[in-house]
Amino acid sequence: MAKNTPAAATGAALTTPAQLERLGEHLHKLRLQKSAERLEAMLQQAAADELPYADFLEQVLGEEVAAKTAKNISMRTAMARFPFVKPLETFDFAYQPSIDKRQVLTLASCHYIEHGDNVIVLGPPGVGKTHLAVSLGIKAIEAGYRVLFTSAAQLISTLSKALAEGRLDEKLKLYTTPRLLIIDEIGYLPIERIGANLFFQLISRRYERGPMILTSNQSFGAWGDVFGDRVIATAILDRLLHHAVTLNIRGNSYCLKEKLKAGLVRSFEDESQPGGEI
């Protein structure tokens, strides 16, 4: 009984230079660049592995999809304007035990985006709030969502300038269009009344329509001082917290990590103990 040799393997072994050229032209016309670059190598490997037609086609299309997906993610990551790119896998949960790792991994699944929930990350400077926000933003991009990152200061500056130039609606659309908006560092700088009103307008536009991730070094009770108006601050928080998950980081600054190891400074936990300096 003759061996049932896969036709794809036989064809791959007998591919002529003319066929290679025609196949390459077809792939280029279809904009399958990855496959065009690796065509000859893939044909040779298919012959060596005696791949059936379906398996070979799956391999070719699978590599092309992976390449296009990676390119798309790279492009949308650049468009998100992150200050840095750090995946969630690099976050040191052991150094910040106050964070529920399982809760963060659940957020990484991006279900909160579909549900329209906000994520608010609170904690002192340097504990990894921005890292978490960026990492969750990257997960959202990988899941196919459009993301935009901005600091609170940059947001207020952009909207204030747009207001003065009569282009406020245009700029508000810039921040309402992305599926996920990340606003970093709320509370690091005081916000004047006009800025607070502009911030409220943005929050109102995204309310129950577009989820956000926000980070702040101030407790909610201090937001009245941050925005210079307790009424506006309350209105903002009412909308943000209606559907929200809050992560409260109570730990040491990553900037002090090496100094803590060397015993040059005292840890947050030590200073919180009776007799410790706060």
Side-chain angles (χ1 to χ4, degrees):
M1 183 174 179
K3 181 181 177 182
N4 184 19
T5 302
T10 303
L14 299 177
T15 303
T16 67
Q19 284 178 313
L20 274 176
E21 184 177 355
R22 289 196 298 272
L23 287 170
E25 290 175 355
H26 292 329
L27 291 172
H28 280 297
K29 287 180 180 178
L30 292 171
R31 298 182 180 179
L32 302 178
Q33 304 302 331
K34 186 69 174 181
S35 299
E37 292 170 2
R38 300 193 61 247
L39 176 60
E40 190 169 0
M42 288 191 295
L43 286 170
Q44 291 175 352
Q45 191 62 48
D49 296 342
E50 296 187 347
L51 286 180
Y53 287 127
D55 289 354
F56 178 65
L57 181 60
E58 182 179 10
Q59 177 187 343
V60 171
L61 295 180
E63 288 195 13
E64 194 65 42
V65 168
K68 287 185 178 297
T69 299
K71 183 178 180 180
N72 189 266
I73 289 174
S74 178
M75 179 183 68
R76 283 186 283 127
T77 298
M79 292 175 62
R81 303 177 186 174
F82 294 127
F84 51 77
V85 176
K86 291 183 180 180
L88 187 59
E89 290 72 19
T90 64
F91 190 86
D92 189 355
F93 286 96
Y95 188 70
Q96 300 296 12
S98 64
I99 300 177
D100 186 340
K101 183 177 180 179
R102 289 176 298 179
Q103 184 182 30
V104 174
L105 294 179
T106 298
L107 291 172
S109 69
C110 298
H111 291 313
Y112 72 96
I113 297 178
E114 284 304 309
H115 296 157
D117 295 337
N118 298 314
V119 177
I120 304 175
V121 187
L122 304 177
V127 294
K129 301 186 298 298
T130 303
H131 186 166
L132 273 182
V134 168
S135 297
L136 291 175
I138 292 172
K139 290 294 184 183
I141 287 174
E142 292 173 351
Y145 297 105
R146 183 180 170 189
V147 178
L148 180 62
F149 180 102
T150 181
S151 68
Q154 182 60 54
L155 170 68
I156 298 300
S157 175
T158 300
L159 293 181
S160 296
K161 182 180 178 182
L163 176 64
E165 296 174 348
R167 298 186 298 112
L168 180 59
D169 193 62
E170 173 189 335
K171 286 301 179 182
L172 283 171
K173 286 180 180 178
L174 171 68
Y175 294 111
T176 54
T177 300
R179 189 72 175 95
L180 176 66
L181 177 66
I182 302 175
I183 305 177
D184 193 33
E185 299 183 337
I186 297 172
Y188 282 82
L189 294 173
I191 299 173
E192 296 181 356
R193 188 177 184 83
I194 293 177
N197 278 308
L198 292 171
F199 192 89
F200 173 74
Q201 287 187 54
L202 174 62
I203 298 302
S204 295
R205 286 204 178 198
R206 292 193 65 92
Y207 178 54
E208 294 194 324
R209 284 181 288 181
M212 292 173 285
I213 297 177
L214 305 97
T215 75
S216 177
N217 66 332
Q218 301 289 338
S219 66
F220 294 137
W223 280 32
D225 295 328
V226 171
F227 290 97
D229 188 311
R230 293 194 176 279
V231 174
I232 293 178
T234 299
I236 290 172
L237 285 170
D238 281 346
R239 286 158 177 75
L240 289 179
L241 298 177
H242 186 197
H243 303 287
V245 175
T246 300
L247 303 177
N248 203 330
I249 307 177
R250 299 178 299 277
N252 297 303
S253 168
Y254 280 98
C255 300
L256 300 177
K257 191 174 183 179
E258 295 305 317
K259 290 184 179 180
L260 285 166
K261 286 182 179 179
L264 299 177
V265 296
R266 302 183 66 181
S267 72
F268 177 85
E269 289 80 4
D270 289 342
E271 293 181 350
S272 299
Q273 298 301 318
E277 297 179 3
I278 298 179

